[in-house]
Amino acid sequence: MAPMGIRLSPLGMAVFCLLGLGVLYHLYSGFLAGRFAFFMLSEPAAGEPETPHGSGAVDLRELLAVSVLAAVRGGEEVKRVRDGNDLNAKAKGKTREGAEEQLTSGDLLSNRKMFYLLKSAFPAVQINSEERVDTADQETVSWNRSIPEDIKQRIQPKEVPAESVTVWIDPLDATQEYTENLRQYVTTMVCVAVNGKPVIGVIHKPFSAYTAWAMVDGGSNIKARSSYNEKTPRIIVSRSHAGKVEQVARQTFGNKTVIIPAGGAGYKVLALLDVAEKNQEEADVYIHVTYIKKWDICAGNAVLRALGGHMTTLSGEEISYTGSDGNEGGLIASINMNHKALIEKLPDLEKTSHK
């Protein structure tokens, strides 16, 4: 029995409870609606993949900074292995010309360092490397997101969609020369292509700690030489191709034409530029007459483009850095020269590239 002799009917109790529920609803409905909206925005829709960390836009200035760091870190591994004479060299296959391709511990350790540094910094970006990446041998390599002062001074931030970017890394260019201890030819390289066009190039020489980098429509820390010889150029070629090029080149430009045999695509591109090193030869034109992989040439192509130079197939076509990892049409590279005229003077070399 209620106090004071008042009895509460079942109907009154029901009305009282409904009023209480109404008050609670108004108090908490806003809070619950907000939580529900947060939940819906935070979770992907059914069947929709989650957006990975680092997707969306990529700042090319940041990507240049980490590319330089990756080339240097890879170069440290290359030098350490060579200095310790712990190459563990073995054949990994044969080139189309039948020559054995060498693989060393320097290739593998440099590749691991470079790949995981770039991947940790830009996980949404596609990375193509000469060597296979073993996920069981994954290494945690972080980037502190610092940008060197020379890059800050020369390059402005520039964002591009992550899905438009492909990074090509060569963890050890000139492996054959590396096994022969011809250290001057060895480089580590990183290239960034946007929609197939090379826009960032980094070429690092591990044994002299020299690094060249450039960004198309941005800036560079290297420049072209002041003079070139277009009538009787010095032509730099692969050591194994000197005989193929020499006869055609001298018939075209004259007997005074100089053929420079050298190792490594990175080294050959640097030969066209102003590199103040005693172990760096100078040339006017770089020619390659057979199939070549894109990670060998992408960085050099980007550097030349940034400085106003050219690297094309022997028939004059631009090289796209998407799709397959090989370039079938050979290449010719020059800077501050009439590139089209050079191609027209060397018509027979395009046929040689398919042999």
Side-chain angles (χ1 to χ4, degrees), residues 63-76 114 150-151 168-174 183-192 198-215 219-223 263-275 277 280 286 294-307 311 321 333:
L63 192 46
L64 168 60
V66 76
S67 295
V68 170
L69 181 60
V72 171
R73 291 275 181 88
E76 291 169 354
M114 294 174 71
D150 60 338
I151 293 178
W168 297 83
I169 61 177
D170 192 340
L172 200 170
D173 189 41
R183 302 182 177 204
Q184 70 271 26
Y185 297 129
V186 176
T187 62
T188 58
M189 295 187 286
V190 181
C191 176
V192 177
V199 298
I200 290 174
V202 180
I203 305 174
H204 175 69
K205 299 182 78 172
F207 297 102
S208 63
Y210 175 81
T211 306
W213 59 261
M215 177 173 158
S220 68
N221 71 341
I222 189 171
K223 59 184 179 180
Y267 178 89
K268 297 185 190 83
V269 168
L270 290 178
L272 307 181
L273 305 173
D274 185 8
V275 179
E277 287 200 319
Q280 178 66 59
Y286 165 27
K294 291 178 181 177
W295 41 67
D296 290 315
I297 59 176
C298 186
N301 198 341
V303 170
L304 288 173
R305 284 188 70 222
L307 297 176
M311 179 185 288
Y321 294 91

Side-chain angles (χ1 to χ4, degrees), residues 70-304:
V72 171
R73 291 275 181 88
E76 291 169 354
E77 295 298 302
V78 168
K79 185 176 185 300
R80 182 176 62 80
V81 169
R82 180 68 265 185
D83 287 347
N85 199 27
D86 191 23
L87 273 64
N88 295 315
K90 60 182 180 181
K92 68 174 182 179
K94 291 191 176 183
T95 67
R96 291 189 179 184
E97 300 165 280
E100 283 193 345
E101 286 191 284
Q102 295 290 308
L103 178 68
T104 70
S105 296
D107 295 87
L108 296 175
L109 293 173
S110 174
N111 182 68
R112 186 174 71 180
K113 191 76 69 174
M114 294 174 71
F115 178 87
Y116 285 115
L117 176 56
L118 286 158
K119 198 64 179 175
S120 66
F122 295 95
V125 167
Q126 178 181 336
I127 301 175
N128 296 337
S129 176
E130 179 175 8
E131 307 304 338
R132 188 174 67 88
V133 178
D134 189 353
T135 54
D137 199 24
Q138 184 170 347
E139 180 173 350
T140 301
V141 189
S142 60
W143 177 46
N144 62 7
R145 310 203 71 81
S146 65
I147 299 176
E149 283 302 317
D150 60 338
I151 293 178
K152 279 185 180 180
Q153 292 171 7
R154 293 181 172 96
I155 306 294
Q156 295 298 314
K158 182 179 181 180
E159 291 191 343
V160 297
E163 63 269 19
S164 69
V165 175
T166 304
V167 177
W168 297 83
I169 61 177
D170 192 340
L172 200 170
D173 189 41
T175 300
Q176 180 62 45
E177 287 74 17
Y178 183 65
T179 63
E180 298 172 20
N181 211 17
L182 299 174
R183 302 182 177 204
Q184 70 271 26
Y185 297 129
V186 176
T187 62
T188 58
M189 295 187 286
V190 181
C191 176
V192 177
V194 178
N195 295 320
K197 295 183 178 181
V199 298
I200 290 174
V202 180
I203 305 174
H204 175 69
K205 299 182 78 172
F207 297 102
S208 63
Y210 175 81
T211 306
W213 59 261
M215 177 173 158
V216 176
D217 296 328
S220 68
N221 71 341
I222 189 171
K223 59 184 179 180
R225 294 199 322 275
S226 57
S227 63
Y228 294 84
N229 188 335
E230 196 158 349
K231 293 183 178 179
T232 54
R234 293 165 294 179
I235 300 176
I236 193 163
V237 299
S238 294
R239 295 161 70 203
S240 58
H241 297 168
K244 290 183 179 181
V245 177
E246 183 172 8
Q247 184 177 1
V248 175
R250 288 188 173 166
Q251 286 175 353
T252 303
F253 297 107
N255 290 329
K256 291 184 179 180
T257 302
V258 176
I259 303 298
I260 305 172
Y267 178 89
K268 297 185 190 83
V269 168
L270 290 178
L272 307 181
L273 305 173
D274 185 8
V275 179
E277 287 200 319
K278 62 180 180 180
N279 288 328
Q280 178 66 59
E281 294 166 285
E282 292 185 352
D284 302 303
V285 180
Y286 165 27
I287 291 175
H288 188 86
V289 296
T290 60
Y291 173 87
I292 191 167
K293 293 296 182 69
K294 291 178 181 177
W295 41 67
D296 290 315
I297 59 176
C298 186
N301 198 341
V303 170
L304 288 173

